[in-house]
Amino acid sequence: AVHFIAIDGAGMSGVAAMYARLGVPVTGSDQADSATLAELRALGIGTFVGHDASQLGDARTVVVSSAVRETNPELAEARRRGLRVWHRSAALAALMLGRTGVAVTGTHGKTTTSAMTATILAGAGADPSWVVGAPLAATGRAWHLGAGAPFVVEADESDGSFRQYPAGVVVITNVEADHLDNWGTPQAYADGFVALATSGTVETVVISADDPGAVAITPAIRASGRTVVTFGESAGADVRLVSAEFPPAGARAVLQAAGDVGEVVLAVPGRYNLHNVAAAYAAGRALGLPGPDLRAAAAAFRGTARRFQPVGEVAGVRIFDDYAHHPTEVAATLTAARGLVGTGRLVACF
């Protein structure tokens, strides 16, 4: 049996659900009851509200996130018993074994790009598995266990745990100094992405041709012998965006790539989402899927929770919720919002 501490989180709940779907006995605990816990109970997972050492039961493996402290009574009991304690990333990495891993990372855009990648791979017929950082608007879930070979994961760089994933394809959206409480220096942070991109299982690296931080680490990745595919609006990008347009809702552009040129149309707004879909498309091509099928599938992407998510409209005021918290992300979100509202009034509540 496997016990998950803090099972309610978007990433933890998805991993737990996948183990349950594979027939592994799963239990888990969190501080408060929630709709997520109710969904996990419906999958046959034993859930507990609150933390107590007795809730470990006969578990032989305990899975924790970075947020779980050593003082947690369940983790302390697991240590006392000498049980196997895995970080969430190790539990997810184990699920990826035997599949074709696609690890999507970067300072910004990981959740949306990984969800887009999953969506267009599914639309192109690959039936991928995925675990991403927020529920997809189209399914209400942040995970899916597919029958196909690809396994898409959002690879979080904040604590360095992303280096555990056995990925054949790595996608790097951008690199801008962040999480220095863990990494120490901007250089060490950037080096972490190089370590992931050059790890033993990686064959292809998809990376931005426009983002300065990504461009700076690309030579080191090329020097490792990995196949590098660049994306963006730069003239030399392998997957190039041209003729970008931003209608009142959504975004569109022409994608130019080897053996395929054509339009991609999104239902979600923002220039950054065109870059995200170019990265997702490049990952799909790296897996051998047809370009036209991938481009067509992009239209089905409806976003993820708290990523420019429409909440409602009251008295002519449209309300959106967004997770942006880094200055670069806030600027990108407000730019997309301005495109949506035109000359109307835009109010940001942070």
Side-chain angles (χ1 to χ4, degrees):
V2 181
H3 182 77
F4 288 75
I5 305 176
I7 197 171
D8 182 62
M12 288 283 274
S13 60
V15 176
M18 284 186 152
Y19 274 93
R21 277 282 172 87
L22 291 170
V24 177
V26 175
T27 58
S29 61
D30 216 302
Q31 295 177 359
D33 206 354
S34 67
T36 300
L37 259 61
E39 182 183 343
L40 293 174
R41 284 193 289 272
L43 293 173
I45 294 174
T47 63
F48 301 96
V49 176
H51 298 290
D52 188 279
S54 64
Q55 292 167 182
L56 289 180
D58 61 356
R60 299 181 64 181
T61 301
V62 174
V63 181
V64 298
S65 72
S66 298
V68 177
R69 297 179 178 178
E70 290 292 331
T71 53
N72 180 288
E74 293 168 20
L75 178 53
E77 175 66 8
R79 299 282 193 208
R80 188 189 71 78
R81 291 192 203 173
L83 302 181
R84 179 192 295 114
V85 177
W86 271 355
H87 187 272
R88 169 193 168 273
S89 58
L92 177 52
L95 287 171
M96 296 170 68
L97 294 173
R99 306 263 188 150
T100 304
V102 180
V104 180
T105 191
T107 309
H108 318 295
K110 291 181 290 291
T111 297
T112 300
T113 305
S114 54
M116 275 186 178
T117 303
T119 298
I120 69 173
L121 294 184
D127 193 13
S129 300
W130 70 78
V131 177
V132 301
L136 275 66
T139 66
R141 282 184 171 174
W143 63 277
H144 174 72
L145 187 61
F151 197 126
V152 181
V153 298
E154 176 179 342
D156 178 21
E157 87 288 4
S158 64
D159 57 6
S161 62
F162 64 170
R163 287 174 291 194
Q164 299 197 68
Y165 298 129
V169 178
V170 168
V171 177
I172 301 176
T173 57
N174 43 60
V175 179
E176 183 179 7
D178 201 0
H179 305 296
L180 299 187
D181 53 334
N182 176 69
W183 291 95
T185 66
Q187 186 60 54
Y189 178 76
D191 289 345
F193 288 98
V194 175
L196 169 66
T198 58
S199 59
T201 59
V202 178
E203 297 177 0
T204 302
V205 179
V206 174
I207 190 166
S208 173
D210 297 355
D211 175 71
V215 170
I217 66 171
T218 298
I221 297 170
R222 286 193 194 277
S224 74
R226 302 311 189 273
T227 298
V228 174
V229 180
T230 60
F231 68 90
E233 296 178 71
S234 297
D238 298 315
V239 176
R240 189 183 179 199
L241 292 157
V242 297
S243 305
E245 297 179 13
F246 303 95
R252 64 192 333 142
V254 173
L255 272 185
Q256 298 177 342
D260 181 49
V261 176
E263 190 173 54
V264 62
V265 179
L266 296 177
V268 290
R271 183 176 294 273
Y272 61 92
N273 272 323
L274 289 174
H275 285 249
N276 292 342
V277 80
Y281 168 93
R285 289 292 301 275
L287 295 175
L289 295 168
D293 293 357
L294 294 166
R295 285 189 288 104
F301 182 69
R302 292 291 181 270
T304 62
R306 300 206 62 208
R307 272 63 175 185
F308 212 82
Q309 178 186 10
V311 174
E313 184 170 336
V314 182
V317 178
R318 286 174 291 173
I319 302 166
F320 292 81
D321 184 18
D322 198 274
Y323 185 71
H325 52 282
H326 184 289
T328 300
E329 296 163 357
V330 173
T333 298
L334 293 180
T335 300
R338 171 55 66 198
L340 199 64
V341 79
T343 57
R345 186 173 180 222
L346 175 61
V347 179
C349 306
F350 185 80

